[in-house]
């Protein structure tokens, strides 16, 4: 009796594993995240695309940020804290 329960459980596990592997194989052919990216046929860059959308809405790109603002953004993103004045000065001298 106990052996048949074990065999039944092994059959269910094998069937589940087979279906799981099959679903992974099918997903590899269709899921968007598994398809390698392709360059757009238009040949335009992302900057041109964004510029076009901004101009359609009557907006313009922001001015380029100063080095002081750039170092602050990087530190806040990477460390979660603003840079010390010494770190800012060292970056500005570089």
């Amino acid at each position: 009796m106990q052996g048949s329960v074990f065999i039944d459980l092994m059959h269910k596990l094998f069937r589940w594993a087979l279906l799981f592997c099959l679903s992974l194989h099918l997903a590899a052919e269709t899921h968007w995240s598994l398809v390698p990216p392709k360059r757009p046929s238009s040949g335009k860059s992302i900057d041109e695309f964004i510029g076009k959308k901004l101009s359609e809405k009557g907006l313009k790109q922001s001015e380029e940020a100063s080095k002081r603002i750039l170092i602050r953004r990087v530190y806040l993103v990477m460390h979660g804290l603003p840079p010390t004045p010494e770190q800012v000065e060292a970056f500005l001298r570089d």
Side-chain angles (χ1 to χ4, degrees), residues 29-92:
E29 295 176 4
T30 58
H31 195 269
W32 66 268
S33 69
L34 302 174
V35 176
K38 296 177 185 164
R39 290 208 175 269
S41 58
S42 66
K44 294 184 177 182
S45 71
I46 188 71
D47 294 329
E48 292 172 307
F49 175 76
I50 291 173
K52 180 182 173 193
K53 291 293 182 184
L54 285 174
S55 64
E56 286 175 2
K57 296 181 181 199
L59 302 171
K60 61 178 184 159
Q61 291 184 353
S62 301
E63 296 178 16
E64 191 170 323
S66 68
K67 287 183 82 171
R68 186 176 298 274
I69 292 173
L70 289 177
I71 188 67
R72 183 171 174 81
R73 288 179 185 169
V74 168
Y75 265 81
L76 286 171
V77 167
M78 299 302 290
H79 301 287
L81 298 169
T84 63
E86 295 82 21
Q87 290 167 327
V88 172
E89 292 306 318
F91 181 74
L92 293 174

Side-chain angles (χ1 to χ4, degrees), residues 3-49:
S4 66
V5 172
F6 177 74
I7 290 172
D8 186 45
L9 183 62
M10 290 305 294
H11 281 286
K12 287 181 181 178
L13 181 63
F14 177 75
R15 209 170 67 198
W16 177 84
L18 185 63
L19 290 173
F20 181 72
C21 290
L22 181 61
S23 68
L24 284 179
H25 176 70
L26 293 174
E29 295 176 4
T30 58
H31 195 269
W32 66 268
S33 69
L34 302 174
V35 176
K38 296 177 185 164
R39 290 208 175 269
S41 58
S42 66
K44 294 184 177 182
S45 71
I46 188 71
D47 294 329
E48 292 172 307
F49 175 76

